[in-house]
Amino acid sequence: MLIDIALDAYGSDKAPEPEIRGAILACRTLPVRVHLIGPEPEVRDLLDEHLENEDLPISVVHASERIGMEEKAAHAVRHKKDSSMRVGLKLVRERKCAGFVTAGNTGAAMATAKMVLGALPGVDRPALATPMPTSKGNPCVLLDVGANVDCKPHNLEQFAVMGEMYARSVLKIHKPRVGLLSIGEEESKGNDLTRDALPLLKALPIHFIGNVEGRDIFNGNADVIVCDGFVGNVALKTSEGIGRFVRDALRESLTKTVTAKVGALLSRQAFNDFRRRLDYTEYGGAPLLGVRGVCIIGHGSSNDNAIYNGIRVAYEFAKAGTNEKIEREFAQRPTRGHGAHTDPEATNPDATIQ
Amino acid sequence: MLIDIALDAYGSDKAPEPEIRGAILACRTLPVRVHLIGPEPEVRDLLDEHLENEDLPISVVHASERIGMEEKAAHAVRHKKDSSMRVGLKLVRERKCAGFVTAGNTGAAMATAKMVLGALPGVDRPALATPMPTSKGNPCVLLDVGANVDCKPHNLEQFAVMGEMYARSVLKIHKPRVGLLSIGEEESKGNDLTRDALPLLKALPIHFIGNVEGRDIFNGNADVIVCDGFVGNVALKTSEGIGRFVRDALRESLTKTVTAKVGALLSRQAFNDFRRRLDYTEYGGAPLLGVRGVCIIGHGSSNDNAIYNGIRVAYEFAKAGTNEKIEREFAQRPTRGHGAHTDPEATNPDATIQ
């Protein structure tokens, strides 16, 4: 049986080409039916061109509006009633699709998903989780990076539960090591938030490894790292910034002299290998954890492979019943927060990760 | 006339060799007299070995204790009354030296400096400022990275004044662009702290460019970036983490095949150039801004060049009268904070940046 996945055809910077090619890749290898959401004649024509009579389970669902990358989330949610994001997420709400994938405006996707899907029972604030590459090869899930700013200790506690479940059921990590992002390993270190969150995380039935530091995101010492959305967003964008700086500096140095150019040519395969290690696209985008449905948000620069992996992750997320597991987990636990619905004032829908 | 600089002989991981060689380099090129602080017979013997009868203005000042890298700051401050840090900072307090340089335990150095020197009039919390390399070549001063956690808006305001003055008087940046670290450029983005700090920073007589993001630390768009010490510490350690990861991944990829090895050999000069661009040691360590005296804290892995640059920065800091300028700036402004002394409870002396 095929699992239905809704894909925002007008998400990425170069949409809809990467989306169409990613959907084709996914339908060739995974038991999925992809519903491309976008303006009907246009998307269908392009799809037919790419399919070249190949028979794949891809359909087109019409949506007349597109949310721009620079558009304010609050504005998009209020005014674009027929956006590809809203149409796609409605398919998830109506159980016509098992998951939604977009490489579009992160803030708008989060805000639309929270509005259309709502939060899982017991979850106060959904959180955006980003898998980061590490030197050991395994990804490290950092959450929240989605701008749940000014979190309370019980929010971090919930992020830990959701992140651990995601790492276990989707990334297939046996016993995920969960850390709390702080500024030193000792328990006394941190700010008011982390010091108050620490005992809550210690009491959870997870493999909690205590405080970790910024460098632990990349050294493979933790599988899940929990933080306030402001801190997570700064960490994510800082790492993107230095990643780009290092690559640019390397490229510039390597094209300065003829000898270096020849050297670079001989090392080309090594550089490709190097790039692959740093490649986020293999991990298939960031899941928005804690909403009633599967919502995967990819980077605006997503290519075919990133879209394919986004669909793969949505498929695995749905197949593993991750949300049902999170829901069961919260039902078993006493609620420390404000109850079973999201706090709409508490989040900043205009925050971006792109 | 020579300017007297106190140098912790037992700071860096490989102390005292880098300290002795860095002091010799500095005395050969700068109008400084360096006072090496450490156990008297030992340091003097090593110094004499390195000097080989060269006549340089370097003296040795005895201090019997050394603060370890892993030692808790509070413990070191309380129990090591004759540490090289405390002896060196006392020379600054007694005006026998114009500045103190250490590559030792950051938390202990901050705590000792705050205790021995005290804060400048009008400064509520001293801040540790780190110059970060950028793709444009000019450094970007990030502060606070020294673990002034749970800052108030007026703390960030003071950090902006001090950071701008440092960039102007020591880094010789004509009209430093000062940004507030947040999660989006729009004024509505951020957390409670940044939203409340924004109007305070806008009202300052500096070139304030508004909110900036994590990636702006490295792209050269700002000369000074202001943030809470928790956030700054996470950003600093995240960038160190990914920097190390990228270098390791590159090295590993380049030694996988013979062709790559030959390529790497041919590109050796380019790699050295690349490394130089990423090299923090040129910037000479992190100044602790807002204390009554000059205190420069270098990385534990400091080499001769880093120590030399630490001494150079302390010399320029003192020569430029940066503290006197900061003091004048605060005297002219209405005090928004708690007055003219530091709040000892507000800082976490055990925080580390190494």
Side-chain angles (χ1 to χ4, degrees), chain A residues 71-79 107-108 111 349-350:
Chain A
E71 208 164 324
K72 288 207 171 185
H75 179 270
V77 168
R78 248 195 308 277
H79 298 289
D350 283 337

Side-chain angles (χ1 to χ4, degrees), chain A residues 228-240:
Chain A
D228 170 271
F230 185 91
V231 173
N233 196 273
V234 167
L236 179 66
K237 286 178 181 163
T238 299
S239 62
E240 284 179 7

Side-chain angles (χ1 to χ4, degrees), chain B residues 98-162:
Chain B
F100 172 70
V101 179
T102 179
N105 183 321
T106 308
M110 287 194 296
T112 309
K114 283 187 224 172
M115 189 195 60
V116 173
L117 302 177
L120 285 172
V123 174
D124 291 298
R125 295 208 203 169
L128 193 63
T130 304
M132 308 285 273
T134 74
S135 54
K136 302 265 167 69
N138 56 311
C140 172
V141 179
L142 183 68
L143 81 163
D144 172 42
V145 297
N148 269 307
V149 300
D150 297 313
C151 287
K152 298 278 181 291
H154 78 267
N155 299 133
L156 299 196
E157 183 192 13
Q158 294 193 343
F159 297 169
V161 171
M162 295 192 293

Side-chain angles (χ1 to χ4, degrees), chain A residues 205-266:
Chain A
I206 59 174
H207 182 20
F208 180 57
I209 57 171
N211 282 346
V212 298
E213 300 184 81
R215 63 174 71 105
D216 294 310
I217 301 172
F218 306 100
N219 63 16
N221 289 349
D223 301 303
V224 177
I225 294 181
V226 172
C227 59
D228 170 271
F230 185 91
V231 173
N233 196 273
V234 167
L236 179 66
K237 286 178 181 163
T238 299
S239 62
E240 284 179 7
I242 194 153
R244 195 166 311 153
F245 166 44
V246 166
R247 278 189 295 263
D248 290 353
L250 183 63
R251 188 180 306 128
E252 212 174 297
S253 297
L254 280 173
T255 49
K256 262 190 175 169
T257 66
V258 176
T259 332
K261 273 184 206 155
V262 174
L265 210 65
L266 285 175

Side-chain angles (χ1 to χ4, degrees), chain B residues 172-216:
Chain B
K172 315 284 185 214
I173 299 167
H174 171 53
K175 207 179 162 188
R177 296 155 301 167
V178 181
L180 175 63
L181 189 57
S182 187
I183 58 174
E185 285 176 14
E186 294 84 344
E187 295 199 354
S188 63
K189 293 195 181 171
N191 57 12
D192 288 344
L193 173 65
T194 63
R195 274 192 294 262
D196 290 344
L198 194 75
L200 303 184
L201 271 73
K202 280 171 88 169
L204 288 173
I206 58 173
H207 182 19
F208 180 56
I209 57 170
N211 282 345
V212 298
E213 300 183 82
R215 62 175 72 106
D216 294 310

Side-chain angles (χ1 to χ4, degrees), chain B residues 65-84:
Chain B
E65 289 172 302
R66 179 186 183 174
I67 297 171
M69 276 298 181
E70 302 301 324
E71 208 163 327
K72 290 208 172 186
H75 180 268
V77 168
R78 247 193 312 276
H79 298 288
K80 295 204 168 162
K81 311 267 181 201
D82 200 42
S83 73
S84 48

Side-chain angles (χ1 to χ4, degrees), chain A residues 72 133-135 147 149-150 181-183 186 188-192 194-195 213-215 217-218 230-231 233-235 237-242 245-246 249-250 252-254 256 259-260 262-264 266-267 270-271 273-274 277-278 348 350-354, chain B residues 72 133-135 147 149-150 181-183 186 188-192 194-195 213-215 217-218 230-231 233-235 237-242 245-246 249-250 252-254 256 259-260 262-264 266-267 270-271 273-274 277-278 348 350-354:
Chain A
K72 288 207 171 185
T134 75
S135 55
V149 299
D150 297 313
L181 189 57
S182 188
I183 57 173
E186 294 86 343
S188 63
K189 293 194 182 172
N191 56 14
D192 288 344
T194 63
R195 275 192 293 261
E213 300 184 81
R215 63 174 71 105
I217 301 172
F218 306 100
F230 185 91
V231 173
N233 196 273
V234 167
K237 286 178 181 163
T238 299
S239 62
E240 284 179 7
I242 194 153
F245 166 44
V246 166
L250 183 63
E252 212 174 297
S253 297
L254 280 173
K256 262 190 175 169
T259 332
V262 174
L266 285 175
S267 341
F271 286 123
D273 177 78
F274 165 66
R277 282 160 186 263
L278 265 60
N348 180 356
D350 283 337
T352 61
I353 63 160
Q354 278 152 350
Chain B
K72 290 208 172 186
T134 74
S135 54
V149 300
D150 297 313
L181 189 57
S182 187
I183 58 174
E186 294 84 344
S188 63
K189 293 195 181 171
N191 57 12
D192 288 344
T194 63
R195 274 192 294 262
E213 300 183 82
R215 62 175 72 106
I217 300 171
F218 307 99
F230 185 91
V231 173
N233 196 272
V234 167
K237 285 178 182 162
T238 299
S239 61
E240 282 179 5
I242 193 153
F245 167 43
V246 166
L250 183 63
E252 212 173 298
S253 297
L254 279 173
K256 261 190 176 171
T259 331
V262 174
L266 286 174
S267 338
F271 285 124
D273 178 78
F274 164 68
R277 281 161 187 262
L278 265 61
N348 181 353
D350 282 337
T352 60
I353 64 161
Q354 279 154 346

